[in-house]
Amino acid sequence: MARFPRGSSAPHLIYSFFNSSTKSNRSSPHSPASALLLGNFHLRQFSSSAVRAKDDKEPWWKESMEHLRNIGISAHIDSGKTTLTERILYYTGRIHEIHEVRGRDGVGAKMDSMDLEREKGITIQSAATYCTWNGYQVNIIDTPGHVDFTIEVERALRVLDGAILVLCSVGGVQSQSITVDRQMRRYEVPRVAFINKLDRMGADPWKVLSQARAKLRHHSAAVQVPIGLEENFQGLIDLVQMKAFYFRGSSGENVVAEDIPEDMAAFVEAKRRELIETVSDVDDKLADAFLADEPISASDLEEAIRRATIARKFIPVFMGSAFKNKGVQPLLNGVLNYLPCPIEVNNYALDQTKDEEKVMLGGNPEGPLVALAFKLEEGRFGQLTYLRIYEGVIRKGDFVVNINTGKRIKVPRLVRMHSDEMEDIQEAHAGQIVAVFGMDCASGDTFTDGSVKYTMTSMNVPEPVMSLAVQPVSKDSGGQFSKALNRFQREDPTFRVGLDPESGQTIISGMGELHLDIYVERIRREYKVDATVGKPRVNFRETITQRAEFDYLHKKQSGGQGQYGRVTGYVEPIPLGEGTKFEFENMIVGQAIPSNFIPAIEKGFKEAANSGSLIGHPVENLRIVLTDGASHAVDSSELAFKLAAIYAFRQLYTAAKPVILEPVMLVELKVPSEFQGTVAGDINKRKGVIVGNDQDGDDSVITAHVPLNNMFGYSTSLRSMTQGKGEFTMEYKEHLPVSQDVQVQLVNAYKASRATE
């Protein structure tokens, strides 16, 4: 490896290597690969500068933190996200040749999406690939886009410090762009926008910019102006540096800076003024200079854009064509210049000792260790866990505590991921993203060094609301089938697997139709197991509404030792919302029933409450109080009392006036205002209650509580009602009693299905 003389500037060398690298000259010391080595060398320099920096009163970690970026790239389908990632990996030396998404060479892009990705098996394995650019380390994290995977989305966005929102210069702001942007706003992620595909027919970046301002409510302005459009697209003018950039070489790897073409000078001046005006609206320091009519230098403007972007008050807009290799390097510079480093972002943990009180993490490697497992993956060497470290330092061989399970685990092997290769490291500090082998944990678990009890995401995992019966078509694939289900359960806490005791079928439960469909599809694709799927089932519950007494004697004499047990007491409902679902109290005074039989009685009542006699679903919110009973010196046994409790429960159940509870969902719809009436009418038809109706630009935002049983197939009917423009999110709210007519229907359907069995 090259050695630098003292005082030489490694970042400067790296920059010149990147810009002078050519595709044909791959073995030379100027190739992207050697640039990467230099990048790693430079990053290692940071930790070795620890001792020197301490003397200067500057914390040793500050410099390496400032040279780190954790970003995600998200976009509407087909905006060129994969192609852009491919170019970023190429220019930073992570890969040595470019492959297109639908490539004729049959290789496919390195980070390709779903189907092609499965054949390559790469991005699914790489939650975070990292690259080095101008001495900065940039981690690129995959961001899932769909709302059914709230937990997945929350975790991925949790790990990001900034993001690139890719927009298509022809398609403009599309529905998925709106969804992705809304999620980023919810999780407070600073972002830059990139208008891609300027080489296509009908490209109009200014139309897209005005759409972003109108539809996404972005306070944004262009930081670049294209030189020509469509087939005449040649390069870009940087409005901050006031230079024209052209991309030469077979893959656009040589960026050449020239003066601005004279015929564009007036237009560029107007656009720069617009940029300064827009930024000075949200940045006081720039506003003072602008109002005083002082000349604004490139560095002043750059600093103002950075301040406003990190404060999430402004979004700089970059332009280019990833497919034609134009505009990617300036975008990378923009990521370094304008997106925050880990210490500039506020991350909060929840303190479990103080009832999930929010605690701010400063991102200090000298603090206690706090790390989040945000993605799991079955690697060649067992389970690979991706960790984002928020505070403290993690070292190979250390013991860490999994707060969610309370287990103390040793860190056997620490690696940094390069797409599908990995590099062993000895330690990693706050702000970094690393992977660990051999740590048994679930996705979303938080690790600390044991001195604090923080979790990064709430421990309250929502209850699943929908179930499906699944079973493999062929008997031989049972092993693969259970392997898949085990893995998905670990990865996603909202996905549960159980057995139906009556039919013996495997039941999977999750957060909605799409959620379960995707898992069935993944079992088919990733594990090559075809599964038959039953009808979706809603997870009803039963409860009682009034107090009822019980006095039951279980007596059986059939030669030899008999069975004898008598239980007396009452059952009463627990008010909804108290949190406990089942309570058992022993209020017997004296020894009417020997104390060693009491656990058997509780077990009997619990077992009986597992399936109510109305529709066979679990009974909740009830308190059972045992007041008296009787036993026999010889014939009483644990089994006798357990059976007595089960039969007593069945006998009193109808007297306690049971009702069926159904899951009610909080549904939020966003539809264009012209469809508001139709959509609201449809919600009423589904027995929903509209609780809120707001205007958001041209859209109506309707909030409603709708029974889940009436929401099957809703996405299809919403699309047809709103010409595909409506979107909705649905999350579990609570279980509420069903109306009398629905209860009669459900009970009759249950009786009919029992009769046919």
Side-chain angles (χ1 to χ4, degrees):
M1 187 185 285
R3 295 260 172 232
F4 292 111
R6 267 177 187 272
S8 74
S9 161
H12 171 72
L13 282 170
I14 289 167
Y15 188 57
S16 57
F17 277 141
F18 278 133
N19 288 341
S20 64
S21 65
T22 57
K23 205 170 157 195
S24 55
N25 194 5
R26 239 173 264 133
S27 57
S28 77
H30 296 272
S31 71
S34 52
L36 181 72
L37 287 172
L38 294 170
N40 288 345
F41 170 79
H42 185 58
L43 285 165
R44 288 191 195 107
Q45 294 287 86
F46 294 143
S47 49
S48 66
S49 64
V51 187
R52 289 200 307 274
K54 276 203 168 156
D55 302 338
D56 307 341
K57 295 282 178 266
E58 181 86 328
W60 59 269
W61 43 269
K62 199 155 192 306
E63 191 185 1
S64 84
M65 286 289 248
E66 284 166 358
H67 283 69
L68 191 58
R69 296 287 181 273
N70 295 318
I71 62 160
I73 300 177
S74 48
H76 183 83
I77 303 110
D78 221 13
S79 298
K81 177 170 89 166
T82 307
T83 313
L84 176 63
T85 315
E86 185 82 355
R87 298 306 186 271
I88 289 175
L89 293 178
Y90 175 73
Y91 294 130
T92 56
R94 297 292 319 113
I95 55 176
H96 303 303
E97 50 200 297
I98 293 175
H99 295 288
E100 298 315 330
V101 177
R102 299 181 181 84
R104 296 203 180 97
D105 54 8
V107 178
K110 184 83 168 172
M111 304 272 292
D112 213 340
S113 12
M114 281 326 192
D115 279 334
L116 291 165
E117 194 173 34
R118 290 261 156 62
E119 287 147 33
K120 282 286 290 169
I122 288 171
T123 314
I124 296 181
Q125 295 184 338
S126 127
T129 184
Y130 93 86
C131 50
T132 321
W133 180 251
N134 294 0
Y136 283 74
Q137 183 183 328
V138 181
N139 289 314
I140 301 172
I141 299 142
D142 291 341
T143 54
H146 206 280
V147 164
D148 256 42
F149 307 97
T150 19
I151 287 229
E152 261 311 291
V153 174
E154 185 171 327
R155 260 186 245 128
L157 291 177
R158 206 50 209 275
V159 174
L160 303 181
D161 296 329
I164 301 172
L165 180 66
V166 184
L167 300 168
C168 171
S169 66
V170 182
V173 174
Q174 291 151 294
S175 58
Q176 190 74 20
S177 326
I178 298 172
T179 313
V180 166
D181 187 72
R182 193 184 302 148
Q183 281 165 355
M184 287 184 190
R185 191 169 290 143
R186 188 183 306 150
Y187 295 109
E188 303 182 342
V189 180
R191 49 208 180 279
V192 301
F194 179 67
I195 299 176
N196 194 11
K197 303 195 177 185
L198 290 187
D199 58 305
R200 272 185 56 188
M201 288 286 290
D204 185 352
W206 308 112
K207 175 195 79 177
V208 179
L209 183 56
S210 61
Q211 276 184 355
R213 287 171 179 164
K215 288 189 183 176
L216 302 176
R217 298 271 182 280
H218 277 185
H219 189 79
S220 58
V223 290
Q224 293 173 334
V225 170
I227 303 170
L229 283 173
E230 299 177 1
E231 65 265 27
N232 303 322
F233 176 49
Q234 292 161 4
L236 294 162
I237 295 167
D238 187 319
L239 297 178
V240 179
Q241 307 291 345
M242 290 302 275
K243 281 259 181 253
F245 289 104
Y246 296 93
F247 304 89
R248 306 273 157 76
S250 57
S251 302
E253 62 271 23
N254 300 328
V255 183
V256 181
E258 292 181 9
D259 290 332
I260 296 168
E262 283 177 20
D263 57 335
M264 292 187 72
F267 179 67
V268 168
E269 199 51 58
K271 285 293 174 193
R272 186 173 202 257
R273 191 174 174 80
E274 183 188 314
L275 170 66
I276 293 168
E277 273 178 32
T278 315
V279 178
S280 51
D281 285 347
V282 291
D283 187 82
D284 296 342
K285 200 169 166 190
L286 188 71
D288 294 343
F290 176 62
L291 293 170
D293 250 354
E294 294 171 13
I296 290 166
S297 69
S299 60
D300 289 347
L301 182 53
E302 193 172 290
E303 281 168 23
I305 295 174
R306 180 175 178 81
R307 283 194 300 272
T309 307
I310 291 172
R312 301 191 316 281
K313 291 177 179 170
F314 175 74
I315 296 174
V317 178
F318 290 83
M319 302 186 184
S321 163
F323 183 65
K324 289 281 192 280
N325 310 317
K326 291 184 171 75
V328 179
Q329 296 96 324
L331 173 67
L332 274 169
N333 291 335
V335 165
L336 309 187
N337 294 340
Y338 304 135
L339 288 180
C341 70
I343 40 181
E344 291 172 310
V345 179
N346 293 341
N347 285 306
Y348 293 95
L350 305 169
D351 191 340
Q352 294 301 319
T353 55
K354 295 183 183 164
D355 196 26
E356 298 211 341
E357 185 186 303
K358 272 191 168 185
V359 184
M360 193 170 144
L361 300 176
N364 178 351
E366 287 164 347
L369 171 72
V370 180
L372 172 73
F374 68 93
K375 174 134 180 161
L376 307 180
E377 167 203 310
E378 294 293 324
R380 290 191 297 273
F381 310 104
Q383 182 176 304
L384 185 63
T385 309
Y386 286 92
L387 291 180
R388 157 79 201 254
I389 304 161
Y390 287 97
E391 206 161 86
V393 176
I394 189 167
R395 293 182 184 84
K396 186 179 169 179
D398 272 4
F399 279 96
V400 292
V401 176
N402 181 338
I403 296 297
N404 299 53
T405 60
K407 285 184 185 163
R408 197 159 170 266
I409 308 168
K410 189 176 181 182
V411 180
R413 185 178 169 200
L414 206 57
V415 295
R416 195 157 53 187
M417 296 304 290
H418 300 250
S419 212
D420 58 345
E421 304 95 45
M422 53 195 83
E423 164 200 352
D424 277 281
I425 51 175
Q426 293 306 308
E427 63 172 46
H429 61 66
Q432 290 184 324
I433 288 174
V434 291
V436 182
F437 273 110
M439 272 167 68
D440 188 36
C441 67
S443 185
D445 283 0
T446 308
F447 293 95
T448 71
D449 54 10
S451 60
V452 288
K453 208 166 179 199
Y454 294 167
T455 58
M456 288 310 296
T457 47
S458 175
M459 305 271 285
N460 306 327
V461 174
E463 282 289 312
V465 291
M466 191 176 285
S467 306
L468 279 179
V470 287
Q471 59 188 72
V473 175
S474 73
K475 291 274 183 284
D476 310 340
S477 48
Q480 284 290 83
F481 182 66
S482 53
K483 197 168 153 191
L485 294 180
N486 285 339
R487 176 187 152 196
F488 296 149
Q489 269 189 106
R490 271 211 310 277
E491 287 180 10
D492 181 354
T494 56
F495 178 74
R496 314 270 173 88
V497 179
L499 263 184
D500 185 337
E502 288 173 12
S503 63
Q505 285 177 309
T506 305
I507 305 285
I508 57 171
S509 313
M511 300 311 295
E513 271 177 290
L514 179 83
H515 192 196
L516 297 176
D517 286 351
I518 295 259
Y519 277 118
V520 173
E521 184 65 8
R522 281 184 67 185
I523 291 171
R524 194 170 67 76
R525 292 202 183 177
E526 291 174 37
Y527 289 89
K528 307 284 184 286
V529 175
D530 275 325
T532 52
V533 181
K535 258 188 67 171
R537 281 194 348 193
V538 172
N539 294 348
F540 291 105
R541 296 281 179 269
E542 297 181 26
T543 191
I544 55 171
T545 54
Q546 67 179 41
R547 178 176 155 147
E549 311 279 338
F550 61 86
D551 181 354
Y552 187 84
L553 169 64
H554 173 65
K555 197 162 72 171
K556 194 176 178 191
Q557 197 69 45
S558 55
Q561 187 186 355
Q563 291 178 4
Y564 184 96
R566 181 178 181 179
V567 287
T568 309
Y570 62 89
V571 60
E572 61 184 5
I574 300 175
L576 284 171
E578 280 202 8
T580 46
K581 294 182 176 176
F582 179 90
E583 271 183 27
F584 178 80
E585 262 182 72
N586 174 20
M587 296 185 70
I588 295 178
V589 181
Q591 284 287 314
I593 299 175
S595 54
N596 56 322
F597 294 139
I598 301 294
I601 296 173
E602 183 178 354
K603 198 173 169 194
F605 277 120
K606 261 194 182 147
E607 209 170 284
N610 267 340
S611 86
S613 53
L614 286 179
I615 53 168
H617 280 260
V619 185
E620 286 185 351
N621 303 334
L622 74 158
R623 179 185 290 116
I624 293 170
V625 181
L626 193 62
T627 54
D628 200 1
S631 64
H632 186 279
V634 179
D635 288 353
S636 285
S637 64
E638 285 192 359
L639 177 66
F641 276 109
K642 184 179 160 187
L643 290 171
I646 291 173
Y647 293 132
F649 186 82
R650 288 184 189 164
Q651 190 185 41
L652 70 87
Y653 194 57
T654 37
K657 293 268 165 46
V659 292
I660 298 171
L661 302 175
E662 65 179 344
V664 173
M665 309 301 281
L666 175 66
V667 180
E668 190 177 284
L669 298 119
K670 196 166 189 184
V671 296
S673 298
E674 67 259 33
F675 303 114
Q676 183 185 346
T678 326
V679 172
D682 183 68
I683 286 175
N684 290 330
K685 211 162 69 188
R686 293 172 188 269
K687 299 192 176 160
V689 179
I690 294 175
V691 291
N693 195 340
D694 296 311
Q695 249 352 74
D696 179 6
D698 303 331
D699 292 337
S700 279
V701 179
I702 301 172
T703 319
H705 299 161
V706 192
L708 175 67
N709 209 23
N710 305 339
M711 287 296 285
F712 285 119
Y714 186 64
S715 51
T716 321
S717 58
L718 181 68
R719 267 189 218 122
S720 59
M721 279 187 292
T722 60
Q723 299 169 7
K725 294 174 189 161
E727 51 180 66
F728 78 104
T729 62
M730 184 164 80
E731 58 185 80
Y732 168 69
K733 186 176 181 293
E734 59 192 339
H735 271 79
L736 288 177
V738 300
S739 57
Q740 195 55 43
D741 58 324
V742 175
Q743 179 151 330
V744 171
Q745 271 175 19
L746 290 168
V747 171
N748 291 342
Y750 176 67
K751 282 180 181 162
S753 71
R754 290 296 294 267
T756 55
E757 277 172 17

